[in-house]
Amino acid sequence: MADISIPKTIRASRISIAQLMHPEHANNLGNVHGGWIMKLVDEAGALACMRHAQRRVVTVAIDSMVFRQPIRIGDLIILNAEVTYTGHTSMEAEVQVQAENPITGERTHTNTAYLVYVALDDEGNPVPIPPLKAETEEEKQKMKQASERQQRRLKQNKR
């Protein structure tokens, strides 16, 4: 397992998933089901967190998800995920979702989601994870915003 005392970069957790959308992913209007998109978002976020923690993870929370643009049958859905916050055993993943027309190459940002995961040991108990290290000013800003989101989550859960 990873040495949890050594910070890991955001870059080290980044993953991308791309999948062509077929009729079985969509409703009768040709729009991909929101639940299917949420499933893919959860998988992408979990993979980024597993890559960071080098452990199995479970989903703890999903912040609100707004579908800004539809994803259609025939679109390529592209999910880019990375860890943006780490606590003692938990971490936040940011997942950016884009729809691409594979013929024209035109891409549309459809939504961004933030999910929280907890790393588990082999018995299913929470386990400490490595801290996160920013390499750029943009990453420092992302980590600051992620920390603020986590503080809001914790405050809401105390109610």
Side-chain angles (χ1 to χ4, degrees), residues 56-116:
R56 291 180 301 132
V57 301
V58 291
T59 311
V60 175
I62 300 173
D63 286 0
S64 66
M65 188 179 296
V66 177
F67 299 97
R68 301 185 191 291
Q69 298 288 328
I71 298 174
R72 312 272 305 156
I73 294 171
D75 282 349
L76 185 64
I77 185 172
I78 301 167
L79 301 101
N80 295 302
E82 63 188 13
V83 174
T84 51
Y85 167 85
T86 55
H88 182 65
T89 62
S90 67
M91 59 210 112
E92 177 193 84
E94 176 187 274
V95 182
Q96 298 275 342
V97 182
Q98 293 182 322
E100 178 183 307
N101 178 318
I103 306 300
T104 67
E106 181 184 350
R107 283 192 182 186
T108 304
H109 177 261
T110 63
N111 58 307
T112 300
Y114 299 96
L115 303 90
V116 179

Side-chain angles (χ1 to χ4, degrees), residues 128-148:
I129 58 171
L132 194 60
K133 174 174 75 173
E135 296 179 292
T136 66
E137 285 305 314
E138 180 184 347
E139 288 179 351
K140 287 178 187 172
Q141 187 63 28
K142 275 189 176 196
M143 287 175 62
K144 179 179 180 290
Q145 292 168 346
S147 180
E148 291 167 359

